[in-house]
Amino acid sequence: QVQLVESGGGLVQAGGSRRLSCVASGSIFTINGMGWYRQAPGNQRELVARFSSGGSTNYADSVKGRFTISRDNAKKTVYLQMNSLKPEDTAVYFCNADILTIQGVRRAYWGQGTQVTVSS
């Protein structure tokens, strides 16, 4: 009964900013890793940014210096602040989390995705 819900997607002009949010809920014991992936039509799904189980961050080279991942552990929420957006950032953005449930099951969970469209 774990669910990830993303929000914050939409249409933005090139050079603009947008912030995505992802809230995890359900019978969660621990979140071992959490982050953001994206997929454009015809492309492979790629890592954008994530927190490892140890709390370190990892960014794709294409977004370093422009995107920032943050989290609120008490709210079980992860954010992605996107600045200086480019048309090539256009994609469906997915939240992902590696979760151990109270029932003892550990696996990766995915949100439904939120569309980000950057106009040129």
Side-chain angles (χ1 to χ4, degrees):
Q1 294 185 340
V2 173
Q3 188 175 50
L4 304 180
V5 179
E6 304 106 328
S7 62
L11 178 65
V12 62
Q13 292 183 328
S17 298
R18 198 83 179 180
R19 191 177 81 156
L20 307 182
S21 300
C22 174
V23 181
S25 61
S27 56
I28 299 169
F29 185 74
T30 56
I31 300 177
N32 299 297
M34 198 170 186
W36 294 92
Y37 293 72
R38 68 185 181 186
Q39 187 168 21
N43 292 346
Q44 297 286 102
R45 186 172 298 184
E46 65 175 350
L47 171 71
V48 178
R50 70 175 183 178
F51 283 102
S52 70
S53 59
S56 62
T57 56
N58 186 21
Y59 292 91
D61 288 341
S62 60
V63 307
K64 286 181 179 177
R66 300 189 298 120
F67 291 9
T68 303
I69 189 170
S70 61
R71 64 184 178 183
D72 185 328
N73 291 334
K75 296 180 179 179
K76 298 177 182 175
T77 300
V78 64
Y79 306 93
L80 184 68
Q81 178 66 47
M82 305 183 293
N83 298 326
S84 302
L85 283 162
K86 305 174 181 179
E88 50 262 46
D89 295 318
T90 296
V92 178
Y93 285 71
F94 296 91
C95 182
N96 172 269
D98 181 7
I99 292 174
L100 175 66
T101 69
I102 296 173
Q103 292 75 28
V105 178
R106 178 175 176 176
R107 73 171 181 87
Y109 293 84
W110 292 91
Q112 292 294 312
T114 185
Q115 176 72 45
V116 175
T117 302
V118 184
S119 62
S120 60

